């Protein structure tokens, strides 16, 4: 079962309980066992699942429910609340502020996650909010990364820095940041490499880049349809760079976004935006309740 199927697992468990003749303890136990399995298979940590199930059980105990409340609805509501809670790491993300001090934001994530596209979307979003953003391409590994970001930058009319000839991403990032600081840009967004199959080298590169550039925020970009590797992937990025926020891309597709739960659990960082399409304006601030509704199907 992949993370994207988490919602189906929970929906199936709830509808089985709805079909049960009576919503008694046995039906509730079966339902919550199914929900636990769906969450565990989705790589949500055991401790989080155990705590969530415990909370659902105690809030839906007939002795604590007000008279006349339908237990099935109460269970649905309690699971909804627990999933919202799982998406809340309990801390607010860094938010860029306009003014003299430039904000440096570094994007990390595996190739194909939508990182480069999201850098441009993020820049355009903040320009609409009155920032003076700029984009730096520090991905020297993927052929085409430079052109892709440059094209997106020029489409969105955002200043861009990159190099065809320099192979050291740290040098490019530092030069780009310096250049845009001098140009008084107040949001400098650094796109990084996301190469597959050379993960040790990738994570070392992320460590060096974040140490050198000292970003105000590191954003982990994750594809909504990613499989079970989401937790480990997010954790590995978190170990190499101080990830402080998550963006879930491709939410316009069929994926329900279960990977977000694991990314939040692994990084202890909140989701801040979701990507809803391939175009520059397709970035929406994350809103936990509609997201969980979708997750539950
Ligand atoms: P990177 O390798 O992580 O930099 O990924 P890219 O930015 O090159 O994106 C990979 C593919 O995903 C491209 O075809 C993008 O157009 C597409 N993409 C990125 N974000 C979204 C999104 O929110 N929705 C959809 N449908 N496609 C996206």
């Amino acid at each position: 079962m992949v993370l994207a199927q988490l919602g189906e697992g929970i929906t199936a468990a709830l509808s089985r309980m709805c079909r049960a003749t009576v919503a008694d303890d046995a039906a509730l136990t079966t339902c919550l066992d199914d929900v636990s399995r769906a969450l565990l298979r989705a790589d949500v940590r055991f401790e989080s699942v155990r705590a969530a199930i415990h909370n659902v059980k105690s809030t839906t105990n007939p002795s604590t429910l007000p008279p006349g409340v339908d237990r099935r609805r109460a269970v649905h509501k309690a699971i909804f609340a627990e999933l919202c809670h799982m998406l809340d790491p309990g801390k607010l993300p860094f938010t860029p502020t306009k003014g003299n001090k430039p904000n440096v934001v570094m994007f990390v994530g595996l190739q194909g996650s939508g990182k480069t596209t999201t850098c441009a979307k993020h820049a355009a979003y903040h320009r609409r909010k009155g920032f003076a953003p700029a984009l730096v391409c520090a991905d020297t590994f993927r052929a085409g990364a430079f052109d892709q970001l440059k094209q997106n930058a020029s489409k969105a009319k955002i200043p861009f820095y990159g190099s065809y000839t320099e192979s050291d991403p740290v040098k490019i990032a530092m030069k780009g940041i310096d250049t845009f600081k001098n140009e008084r840009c107040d949001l400098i967004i650094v796109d990084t490499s996301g190469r597959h199959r050379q993960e040790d080298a990738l994570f070392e590169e992320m460590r060096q880049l974040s140490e050198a550039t000292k970003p105000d925020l590191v954003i982990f970009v994750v594809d909504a349809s990613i499989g079970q590797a989401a937790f480990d992937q997010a954790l590995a990025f978190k170990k190499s760079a101080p990830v402080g926020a998550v963006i879930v891309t491709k939410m316009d597709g069929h994926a329900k976004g279960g990977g977000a739960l694991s990314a939040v659990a692994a990084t202890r960082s909140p989701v801040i935006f979701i990507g809803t399409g391939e175009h520059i304006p397709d970035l929406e601030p994350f809103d936990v309740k509609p997201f969980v509704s979708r997750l539950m199907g």
Side-chain angles (χ1 to χ4, degrees):
M1 175 167 154
V2 295
L3 287 164
Q5 289 169 313
L6 168 64
E8 279 91 334
I10 294 175
T11 314
L14 288 168
S15 52
R16 254 194 307 280
M17 191 170 92
C18 284
R19 285 196 306 271
T21 335
V22 275
D24 56 6
D25 283 347
L28 179 64
T29 303
T30 311
C31 170
L32 293 185
D33 283 351
D34 290 346
V35 171
S36 306
R37 265 194 294 278
L39 289 167
L40 289 170
R41 278 194 218 117
D43 286 344
V44 180
R45 286 180 322 156
F46 177 73
E47 295 79 16
S48 316
V49 174
R50 194 174 51 186
I53 297 299
H54 173 81
N55 292 345
V56 174
K57 271 189 185 148
S58 55
T59 51
T60 59
N61 188 318
S63 62
T64 54
L65 281 182
V69 168
D70 177 42
R71 199 174 184 197
R72 294 178 177 94
R73 288 193 60 152
V75 170
H76 192 281
K77 218 173 126 192
I79 294 173
F80 184 87
E82 287 305 317
L83 290 175
C84 290
H85 178 67
M86 279 184 196
L87 281 162
D88 175 9
K91 62 174 186 213
L92 291 172
F94 166 86
T95 34
T97 44
K98 282 174 238 169
N100 293 330
K101 188 189 168 294
N103 307 270
V104 175
V105 177
M106 173 176 158
F107 274 66
V108 302
L110 280 192
Q111 194 167 310
S113 59
K115 189 163 32 66
T116 301
T117 313
T118 309
C119 284
K121 289 178 176 182
H122 194 252
Y125 175 90
H126 283 89
R127 212 208 10 228
R128 292 197 294 275
K129 301 274 169 203
F131 283 86
L135 288 160
V136 178
C137 175
D139 179 356
T140 53
F141 188 80
R142 179 163 69 93
F146 176 98
D147 289 329
Q148 188 189 341
L149 191 63
K150 193 173 176 192
Q151 263 173 27
N152 279 338
S154 74
K155 238 190 269 169
K157 298 197 174 50
I158 288 166
F160 167 82
Y161 180 85
S163 169
Y164 266 129
T165 49
E166 176 56 65
S167 60
D168 181 352
V170 173
K171 282 192 185 153
I172 298 180
M174 297 306 286
K175 182 83 198 309
I177 291 170
D178 277 353
T179 304
F180 291 130
K181 275 183 179 171
N182 290 335
E183 291 179 12
R184 305 220 164 272
C185 293
D186 57 11
L187 177 61
I188 305 170
I189 296 167
V190 181
D191 187 18
T192 64
S193 169
R195 55 185 139 163
H196 280 295
R197 283 188 278 278
Q198 294 181 17
E199 266 104 13
D200 288 348
L202 169 67
F203 295 130
E204 174 55 19
E205 187 174 313
M206 294 306 108
R207 193 188 60 73
Q208 289 178 10
L209 268 170
S210 74
E211 260 181 37
T213 60
K214 297 189 178 38
D216 298 292
L217 177 65
V218 177
I219 300 177
F220 172 61
V221 178
V222 62
D223 180 332
S225 62
I226 197 167
Q228 291 190 17
F231 186 87
D232 291 341
Q233 207 187 89
L235 201 60
F237 275 106
K238 174 83 176 180
K239 279 184 187 153
S240 58
V243 172
V246 175
I247 295 182
V248 186
T249 62
K250 309 188 192 179
M251 283 298 293
D252 49 311
H254 293 300
K256 291 192 166 191
L261 288 170
S262 299
V264 170
T267 60
R268 303 309 307 146
S269 304
V271 180
I272 51 170
F273 286 102
I274 54 169
T276 53
E278 294 192 66
H279 301 292
I280 302 290
D282 302 333
L283 186 74
E284 293 174 12
F286 177 71
D287 196 352
V288 73
K289 285 184 179 160
F291 185 87
V292 171
S293 296
R294 173 175 172 156
L295 202 59
M296 288 178 69

